[in-house]
Amino acid sequence: MTDNTSSSSKKQQTTAIAAVIAVVLLGLCTFLLVRNYNLSKQNELLTENYDESEQLKADLEQQYYEALSELESMRGSNEELNAL
């Protein structure tokens, strides 16, 4: 009878350990899913900010080159003033 009780006790112990491991793994999976979701949102926000800054950079470069071109045309049309 002690063998039967010992075997039953070992089965319960193994089942308890398996249950604890399953709960820990489930918690770990939940943590990783939440972390992945948050990182995805953060990545999306950073990508949007980067795209916006690249667009602003392109607009500013265009304005710069237009102003530079206008300045060069003013220099060319005022040769007498350029000499001063």
Side-chain angles (χ1 to χ4, degrees), residues 32-55:
L32 290 175
L33 283 172
V34 169
R35 183 173 176 217
N36 186 28
Y37 176 77
N38 289 338
L39 287 175
S40 293
K41 287 295 182 183
Q42 184 179 9
N43 187 21
E44 187 177 309
L45 179 64
L46 288 173
T47 301
E48 288 174 8
N49 287 344
Y50 177 77
D51 291 343
E52 183 180 336
S53 66
E54 284 296 310
Q55 182 62 43

Side-chain angles (χ1 to χ4, degrees), residues 51-68:
D51 291 343
E52 183 180 336
S53 66
E54 284 296 310
Q55 182 62 43
L56 289 172
K57 179 183 171 189
D59 292 344
L60 288 174
E61 283 180 349
Q62 181 181 1
Q63 288 177 8
Y64 169 76
Y65 288 118
E66 286 173 358
L68 193 60

Side-chain angles (χ1 to χ4, degrees), residues 9-22:
S9 176
K10 281 189 178 186
K11 271 188 172 180
Q12 286 179 347
Q13 189 177 20
T14 304
T15 304
I17 290 172
V20 168
I21 289 173

